[in-house]
Amino acid sequence: MSEQSTTERARPEAIKAVPVRHPLRWVSIAVIAVLFAMFVHLLLTNDNFRWSYIFVSYEEGKRGVMFTGPVLEGLRGTLLLTVTSMAIGIGLGTVLAVMRLSPNRILSSVAFVYTWFFRAVPRLILAILFGNLNILWSRIGFGLPFDEQIGKLFGIDDFNGQFYSIRAVDLLAGFVAGMLALGLSEAAYMAEIVRAGLQSVDTGQSEAAVALGMSRFQVLRRIVLPQAMRVIVPPTGNETIAMVKDTSLVAFVPVAGELWFQLNNISARTFVVFPVLVAAVIWYLIICTVLMIGQYFIERHYGRGYGASARAKQRLRNIEVEQGGKITTGEAS
């Protein structure tokens, strides 16, 4: 017994940790640094960029091409088109997602056909198509359906069951046509995004809420959607950024109050192409950068309670509970 008490276990030698070398990382950094320096040198020394044309003045007595009145009006039109198209896409997409998950076969089939069609047709073709829909009708209105056929059935040739109507060429043209093309197309993509978010929530929570007496709408609004937002927000932010860029497609409708349309007009009038393209790139970069920053904070808001940091905080709270409400750093002397 005494020998066991006097004999101490030999302390192991300290481990000499040798850091792993990564020579390819330094080679990659050097290559990136050289490429970056070449790019900056190109921007500063190549006169074909014509920075004064972009920022200072592109014609005598006029501001730089980025800040002219028509371009700023086009910028406002692009932002408005993005907001309205995404509002249509998110609202209609949410309805389509709920329809797709409905046990009613008719509703789910209609939602499936809608998403199939609008996801299959390119947005450029949709924009041009909606800009020419006024070929199909002379007037578009609200009222009794099949009013002409009903009138002929009862021998009334001039029967008109419409309460309000407008000429199709006035409605389905320009901004409205572009907004409908982008918004209805976006709804198909948002339907799949929202559907994936709703299906990411455990069905047991919905069943428990229904058992407590909550209606299906209350379950969706108070239980499912708040948790699904963590899955829905990131791709929705990406879709919003993509929508900003896709607004340039409505120049083929055409929509005059749009950023790329106005910049392209200046290029066609002055026969200066490359600086105008650079101005367009700068404006789209500014808009998308602001949206990316907003997306980051929204994701962080809805991502609270998830991830490695949240799990670590939960473990700390569990330890506090086990130790009587506080974490002890050492034994009491």
Side-chain angles (χ1 to χ4, degrees):
M1 188 70 180
S2 60
E3 292 181 358
Q4 292 180 354
S5 61
T6 56
T7 303
E8 295 182 358
R9 187 175 179 180
R11 185 182 182 89
E13 297 182 358
I15 300 175
K16 296 180 180 179
V18 178
V20 180
R21 290 180 172 83
H22 301 281
L24 291 180
R25 291 184 182 178
W26 293 103
V27 173
S28 302
I29 292 173
V31 172
I32 293 172
V34 171
L35 293 175
F36 179 76
M38 293 173 62
F39 179 69
V40 173
H41 180 266
L42 174 67
L43 294 178
L44 298 178
T45 61
N46 197 313
D47 296 333
N48 291 319
F49 280 100
R50 299 178 64 176
W51 298 112
S52 60
Y53 183 93
I54 298 174
F55 294 107
V56 182
S57 174
Y58 80 97
E59 284 182 353
E60 186 177 354
K62 295 186 177 180
R63 291 172 290 182
V65 69
M66 280 189 64
F67 308 108
T68 59
V71 172
L72 295 180
E73 286 292 332
L75 176 63
R76 283 191 284 269
T78 293
L79 296 177
L80 181 60
L81 189 60
T82 301
V83 172
T84 53
S85 299
M86 285 304 301
I88 294 173
I90 293 174
L92 183 57
T94 303
V95 174
L96 289 170
V98 176
M99 291 174 58
R100 186 75 184 276
L101 296 175
S102 172
N104 189 306
R105 289 293 183 88
I106 297 178
L107 293 179
S108 60
S109 299
V110 170
F112 171 78
V113 171
Y114 182 97
T115 55
W116 162 75
F117 177 80
F118 280 98
R119 290 176 68 189
V121 181
R123 284 186 176 177
L124 177 59
I125 297 177
L126 279 176
I128 299 173
L129 177 66
F130 273 78
N132 291 276
L133 279 182
N134 50 57
I135 298 174
L136 300 179
W137 307 281
S138 59
R139 300 187 69 86
I140 297 177
F142 300 96
L144 185 66
F146 305 107
D147 53 347
E148 294 182 4
Q149 290 77 8
I150 293 175
K152 291 179 180 179
L153 181 63
F154 290 96
I156 305 174
D157 295 333
D158 57 348
F159 179 74
N160 186 2
Q162 292 186 350
F163 307 118
Y164 172 80
S165 65
I166 187 175
R167 289 200 314 160
V169 70
D170 295 331
L171 178 63
L172 297 175
F175 184 89
V176 176
M179 177 187 66
L180 290 176
L182 294 178
L184 296 179
S185 175
E186 183 61 34
Y189 293 92
M190 285 303 306
E192 294 301 294
I193 292 173
V194 175
R195 183 170 69 92
L198 297 178
Q199 289 180 327
S200 68
V201 181
D202 185 34
T203 56
Q205 299 189 37
S206 301
E207 294 170 356
V210 172
L212 292 175
M214 298 178 68
S215 64
R216 293 193 62 184
F217 178 75
Q218 289 177 325
V219 172
L220 180 65
R221 184 170 63 89
R222 297 184 178 181
I223 306 298
V224 179
L225 274 180
Q227 299 181 74
M229 289 298 291
R230 180 180 63 90
V231 178
I232 294 173
V233 166
T236 302
N238 294 337
E239 289 294 316
T240 304
I241 293 171
M243 180 62 72
V244 173
K245 298 177 288 185
D246 287 343
T247 54
S248 60
L249 299 176
V250 301
F252 296 92
V253 173
V255 177
E258 189 270 329
L259 178 62
W260 170 241
F261 184 92
Q262 294 296 335
L263 286 169
N264 195 39
N265 277 351
I266 295 176
S267 176
R269 188 176 69 251
T270 60
F271 301 102
V272 179
V273 177
F274 191 77
V276 174
L277 294 174
V278 174
V281 169
I282 294 173
W283 269 128
Y284 284 115
L285 281 175
I286 292 173
I287 299 171
C288 293
T289 300
V290 173
L291 291 176
M292 289 177 187
I293 294 173
Q295 178 185 356
Y296 167 77
F297 286 104
I298 295 174
E299 286 184 16
R300 191 173 70 172
H301 172 76
Y302 284 105
R304 293 178 302 178
Y306 297 91
S309 60
R311 289 194 295 270
K313 292 179 181 178
Q314 183 62 43
R315 285 197 295 268
L316 287 176
R317 285 193 290 268
N318 294 339
I319 294 173
E320 288 179 355
V321 172
E322 292 175 359
Q323 297 185 355
K326 64 179 181 179
I327 298 178
T328 57
T329 57
E331 295 181 356
S333 57

